[in-house]
């Protein structure tokens, strides 16, 4: 193993509850592992469309399992996801495009807000069951994450710019280039090559590949 730090990229979308789980677990490992964690806001809708993937809940048995699975993982990792069967309809009826463009614009201009802002989007959608697709809701999330009203407004205006739209498309395409077909997609750049891990339940495996040990006790 090299003495340098391992770059670990998290490609995520705030519409995805598993992305939230992966995000929080990686945030907890970041101070313990020799990694540089990079958040990469991408658009899940684009990945699903271009890879021909379907939401798991489209398959009733898979949907039933997913409900139990998310509840168990949320409890295990102490992430406040509140999920019920009705949420599948809510996800299908919500576009995360505006939220992911907003996160992309923040990443381009004020990246220090990316972590708290992403967390607030998940909190709003998955804990409070509030909308994240309308401008006024996006501004409320930004306020909650500590952005000033002036900055929030400026970032919101940026979301319609070609620069922001293109960056989100590029990041989404990059995730697919690494082999992503859903979210979260975690890519560890180790020993000169990228290693893709799909989902939030492969992070122990990620640790073993990059030579880091995972101890649940270290998270508590």
């Amino acid at each position: 193993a090299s003495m340098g730090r391992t770059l670990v990229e998290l490609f995520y979308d705030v519409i995805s509850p598993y992305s939230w789980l992966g995000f929080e677990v990686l945030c907890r490992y970041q101070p313990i592992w020799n990694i540089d964690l990079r958040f990469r806001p991408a658009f899940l809708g684009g990945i699903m469309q271009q890879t021909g993937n379907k939401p798991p809940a489209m398959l009733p048995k898979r949907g039933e399992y997913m409900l139990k699975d998310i509840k168990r993982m949320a409890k295990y990792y102490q992430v406040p996801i509140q999920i019920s069967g009705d949420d599948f309809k809510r996800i299908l009826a919500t576009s995360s495009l505006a939220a992911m463009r907003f996160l992309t614009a923040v990443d381009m201009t004020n990246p220090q807000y990316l972590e708290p802002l992403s967390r607030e989007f998940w909190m709003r959608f998955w804990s409070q069951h509030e909308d994240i697709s309308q401008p006024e809701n996006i501004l409320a999330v930004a306020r909650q994450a500590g952005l000033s009203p002036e900055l929030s407004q400026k970032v919101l205006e940026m979301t319609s710019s070609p620069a922001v739209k293109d960056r989100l498309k590029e990041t989404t395409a990059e995730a697919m280039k690494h082999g992503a077909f859903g979210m979260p997609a975690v890519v560890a750049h180790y020993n000169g090559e990228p290693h893709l891990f799909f989902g939030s339940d492969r992070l122990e495996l990620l640790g073993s590949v990059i030579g880091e040990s995972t101890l649940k006790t270290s998270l508590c």
Side-chain angles (χ1 to χ4, degrees):
S2 71
M3 296 304 290
R5 296 171 77 77
T6 302
L7 171 64
V8 174
E9 297 182 279
L10 171 67
F11 293 90
Y12 67 96
D13 187 317
V14 293
I15 202 92
S16 152
Y18 285 111
S19 288
W20 191 9
L21 291 162
F23 172 90
E24 296 297 357
V25 175
L26 284 170
C27 283
R28 292 169 199 178
Y29 277 133
Q30 188 181 12
I32 304 163
W33 286 358
N34 191 27
I35 61 171
D36 286 323
L37 180 57
R38 190 170 170 209
F39 299 122
R40 306 296 308 276
F43 182 46
L44 180 57
I47 289 183
M48 299 297 266
Q49 198 183 354
Q50 290 179 55
T51 60
N53 196 356
K54 299 266 186 294
M58 301 290 254
L59 207 63
K61 282 289 166 204
R62 237 187 122 180
E64 275 173 41
Y65 175 77
M66 188 177 155
L67 266 183
K68 291 185 190 133
D69 187 49
I70 290 174
K71 283 178 182 168
R72 278 193 298 230
M73 287 190 77
K75 190 177 173 191
Y76 179 77
Y77 287 118
Q78 296 173 352
V79 176
I81 299 173
Q82 305 292 333
I83 190 168
S84 70
D86 302 339
D87 284 319
F88 295 142
K89 289 195 212 63
R90 206 163 64 96
I91 298 172
L92 293 173
T94 302
S95 171
S96 61
L97 187 58
M100 296 320 293
R101 280 181 181 159
F102 193 87
L103 283 165
T104 300
V106 161
D107 188 27
M108 290 165 77
T109 56
N110 297 83
Q112 72 275 23
Y113 287 116
L114 192 54
E115 183 185 329
L117 186 64
S118 300
R119 188 173 283 117
E120 286 302 335
F121 271 114
W122 277 305
M123 286 293 286
R124 188 176 177 90
F125 192 76
W126 284 107
S127 289
Q128 297 151 5
H129 290 202
E130 300 275 347
D131 180 76
I132 55 165
S133 64
Q134 299 306 310
E136 63 273 20
N137 302 120
I138 290 173
L139 290 173
V141 170
R143 265 202 312 279
Q144 213 43 53
L147 281 76
S148 70
E150 299 77 35
L151 180 59
S152 306
Q153 195 57 49
K154 195 183 96 189
V155 173
L156 188 65
E157 283 159 21
M158 279 181 70
T159 55
S160 54
S161 72
V164 169
K165 290 178 178 178
D166 288 347
R167 166 69 81 89
L168 182 58
K169 280 188 195 130
E170 282 157 22
T171 307
T172 305
E174 208 178 311
M176 285 186 286
K177 191 187 81 201
H178 288 307
F181 51 89
M183 297 265 180
V186 182
V187 179
H189 298 268
Y190 187 69
N191 279 350
E193 57 180 306
H195 301 261
L196 171 75
F197 298 86
F198 170 65
S200 53
D201 54 354
R202 291 288 182 274
L203 300 172
E204 282 75 12
L205 194 59
L206 161 75
S208 80
V209 168
I210 64 172
E212 297 284 354
S213 63
T214 52
L215 294 169
K216 173 148 194 287
T217 50
S218 68
L219 297 184
C220 299

